[in-house]
Amino acid sequence: QVQLVESGGGLVQPGGSLRLSCAASGSIFSPYDMGWYRQTPGKQRELVAGISSGGSTNYADSVKGRFTISRDNAKNTVYLQMNSLKPEDTAVYYCNVRTISRSYWGQGTQVTVSS
């Protein structure tokens, strides 16, 4: 079984920063891509940022220049550094790990940007 454990969410003021972490445990077969998605009530889950097994990254237009995704393969961990946060970034953030045949999700962590 593969488990993804997210941490780092919370309440932050507009313009502030947060760093999300997601540690994967269990049997994950390489290569695998990792990513962060977010979801707000009544809306579909959307991709925020992704990083491939080779280190290539992609970002939603709304977060480009503000968010940075990275991974530590030795720790099976993916990070999301979020800077210059805006109220519209408020959402539940989910970690995702995708192998050739399977996709795994974390339980989600709440990020609230509010003054």
Side-chain angles (χ1 to χ4, degrees), residues 72-77:
D72 184 335
N73 290 329
K75 297 180 179 180
N76 285 343
T77 300

Side-chain angles (χ1 to χ4, degrees), residues 101-115:
S101 58
R102 295 288 303 274
S103 181
Y104 304 94
W105 292 93
Q107 80 284 357
T109 185
Q110 177 70 45
V111 171
T112 302
V113 185
S114 175
S115 55

Side-chain angles (χ1 to χ4, degrees), residues 35-49:
W36 289 95
Y37 290 71
R38 66 187 181 188
Q39 189 171 23
T40 55
K43 293 189 176 181
Q44 286 190 330
R45 195 172 295 186
E46 64 174 2
L47 175 68
V48 176

Side-chain angles (χ1 to χ4, degrees), residues 23-36:
S25 61
S27 299
I28 304 176
F29 296 99
S30 297
Y32 56 92
D33 299 336
M34 307 181 87
W36 289 95

Side-chain angles (χ1 to χ4, degrees), residues 92-107:
V92 178
Y93 284 70
Y94 295 90
C95 171
N96 175 258
V97 171
R98 189 173 70 252
T99 68
I100 292 175
S101 58
R102 295 288 303 274
S103 181
Y104 304 94
W105 292 93
Q107 80 284 357

Side-chain angles (χ1 to χ4, degrees), residues 33-87:
D33 299 336
M34 307 181 87
W36 289 95
Y37 290 71
R38 66 187 181 188
Q39 189 171 23
T40 55
K43 293 189 176 181
Q44 286 190 330
R45 195 172 295 186
E46 64 174 2
L47 175 68
V48 176
I51 184 166
S52 72
S53 57
S56 299
T57 59
N58 61 291
Y59 297 91
D61 287 343
S62 59
V63 307
K64 283 180 180 177
R66 300 188 297 122
F67 291 9
T68 302
I69 189 170
S70 60
R71 63 189 286 172
D72 184 335
N73 290 329
K75 297 180 179 180
N76 285 343
T77 300
V78 61
Y79 306 95
L80 186 67
Q81 178 66 43
M82 304 185 295
N83 299 328
S84 302
L85 282 161
K86 304 175 181 180

